Amino acid sequence: MFVLAVIYENCTGCHLCELACSFKHHGVFDLSLSRITILTKPEVQTSVQVYCLQCQDAACERVCPVDAISRDKNGAYIINYDRCIGCRECAYACPFGAISFEVEARPIKCDLCEGEPECATVCPHDAIVYMEEKKAVRELKKAKAAGVAYGLYGGKETSEYPRKKAEEAVEYLLELVEKSGELDV
């Protein structure tokens, strides 16, 4: 089985992965249509990728009232838009905020591009890589031993580090919203 592996410290926040994703799925370069989101905290030079982790026991699949979410042959959870009623339960259930919505209220999430993730293909610094799970685990253990932050999504072994980074990113975004005064949080 192939998995997405993330080495956070390699991410420069260039957003190429977001642009490639939106173009592959929608034919336009529009960050709001991307299935991956890059959160950047410039004061500490950190960027974090947020996208579907292809959880072993996916909450989005469990809560869908019409069974519109299922796992495909590549291990990705995909949405059957013919069945989807746009209730947003999947987005509410996702603990990582990895499901967003198009203008037409259709949910969008990472589908691993049918086994050839565009984000991994275009990443110039190998912050996102798609490889066989055993190889990914070996490589990421080497990275961990070297003190590099990483995450492994879709496999059996995961890191606690992505959650910590995601929590920092959420705190940062909430600070920005509170400072702007535009939204009531």
Side-chain angles (χ1 to χ4, degrees), residues 36-53:
I36 183 171
T37 302
I38 304 300
L39 302 177
T40 302
K41 193 169 185 177
E43 59 271 14
V44 291
Q45 298 177 345
T46 300
S47 294
V48 178
Q49 304 88 342
V50 178
Y51 56 100
C52 181
L53 307 184

Side-chain angles (χ1 to χ4, degrees), residues 116-134:
E116 296 181 25
E118 199 68 21
C119 57
T121 302
V122 302
C123 183
H125 303 286
D126 290 330
I128 305 170
V129 293
Y130 189 63
M131 62 178 63
E132 201 278 324
E133 182 177 4
K134 287 181 183 177

Side-chain angles (χ1 to χ4, degrees), residues 62-81:
R62 285 195 321 267
V63 302
C64 182
V66 294
D67 295 324
I69 300 176
S70 61
R71 201 179 270 265
D72 73 1
K73 66 181 187 321
N74 297 309
Y77 284 96
I78 57 168
I79 300 169
N80 179 338
Y81 291 110

